[in-house]
Amino acid sequence: MISREEMISLKDEMTPKERSTALARGEAVDRIPLCPILGETMGPLFGVWPREHNHSAELMTKVEVGMYREFGVDGAGIGTGLRGVAEAMGVELVYPEKAVSYVKEPLVKTESDISKLKPCDPERDGRLPIVLKALDMINAEVGAEVGVSTDMAGPLSVVAQIIEPSTMLRWMVKKPELVHEVLNIVTESNKRFIDSACKRGYAVGFSDPLASQSLISLRLFKQFVKPYLAECIEQIKKWRGNEGINLHICGKSSGIWNDMADLGINTLSIDNVDSLAECREKVGDRACLVGNVPPVDALRMGDPEMIIDYCIHDMAQAWDNPGGYVLSTGCQIPIGTPRINVEAFMYAGRKYGAGYKLPKFRIDENDHTWASKNIKDPLA
């Protein structure tokens, strides 16, 4: 059984920015990029519970900087969460002390309620000003070493916080014009937050759980998700070009991978219910893949040995992905995850992901391929 002392004994030789620069130059780096999906649910490790975290830029900064300095992850920042934009548009949220927020009641209950909706002002409305302030504070503390970014919900996932989800799904089939009307207003709100974040110099990514094939069909994805995500992504590109755009969709997404890649994203993040090997075969030449160690079964409920095995398994599947690979979790790590399990994840990447090099710069099969590492996949 591996000891905690051994796990934390491995240290990085590069900062995340140094690692990113070296990879872009075609060089091998100290270890593969490591970006487990953390956030407010990790606050308790630093004495901060979700309710207070959500309402304090100072506490957001404390947690994010703490996670970077303690674990050494390849990214830092604060997102709007699934409900941040909806709240800024007028949705009332409930904030339990030790659990994530939830919608008190839908803002749109009837068709007539849609006329009351207006795009938000991210500089003034809801908690979005707190998020923007926290981004600046985090950047001031660690921005010289690690890229600072934000993440927001895709338009359909925001709509599901404004309209009760079952009503939204019913309207998508029977009254699609109503959903499109709300989507247009939400997309404008998203674009305004994108402007606020990008003008400050931060990358913007998306999480869009309601776009999952576990919930909607490919036809509905093309109708209600793809065009509005495309509009948001084009807004980012006006500021940043084709740089640093990540898209994560929870649940099953294999049938929409090509559509996701069509959006012009840089990194495609998949849930642990899907296969990295399959994703590599389908779209691995079109995007850097991100994922997908189980956040609950492994990180929350497992032990360090299990987590290390999952990390090796994922690296074996995607190490040679043509578009590159970032070792991550399949979704956000839940509250209650032991500190030692996050350390095990980082240890696995440092030990077994050493010497990573982007495939397009590799000379031959012996030049930093997974086969040349001669490490057996423990889950094969």
Side-chain angles (χ1 to χ4, degrees), residues 1-57:
M1 182 175 181
I2 189 168
S3 68
R4 180 172 184 267
E5 288 71 24
E6 181 179 350
M7 287 194 294
I8 64 175
S9 67
L10 290 185
K11 304 298 182 182
D12 291 334
E13 299 171 11
M14 310 171 103
T15 67
K17 285 192 171 181
E18 290 171 342
R19 191 172 297 112
S20 178
T21 299
L23 284 171
R25 288 199 301 254
E27 300 170 4
V29 292
D30 58 340
R31 52 117 171 124
I32 197 165
L34 301 171
C35 289
I37 305 176
L38 304 172
E40 65 178 307
T41 52
M42 292 293 97
L45 294 183
F46 300 89
V48 180
W49 289 97
R51 183 166 65 195
E52 55 182 352
H53 178 278
N54 274 285
H55 294 91
S56 169

Side-chain angles (χ1 to χ4, degrees), residues 71-93:
F71 302 126
V73 293
D74 281 84
I78 290 290
T80 66
L82 292 181
R83 291 165 285 276
V85 169
E87 182 185 38
M89 292 177 63
V91 173
E92 185 178 356
L93 301 184

Side-chain angles (χ1 to χ4, degrees), residues 132 150 192-204 235-240:
L132 293 169
T150 188
R192 291 183 181 187
F193 180 79
I194 288 166
D195 287 344
S196 290
C198 287
K199 75 181 181 182
R200 289 168 165 83
Y202 306 123
V204 182
Q235 192 71 13
I236 298 171
K237 291 182 177 182
K238 290 178 183 178
W239 288 92
R240 301 179 60 84

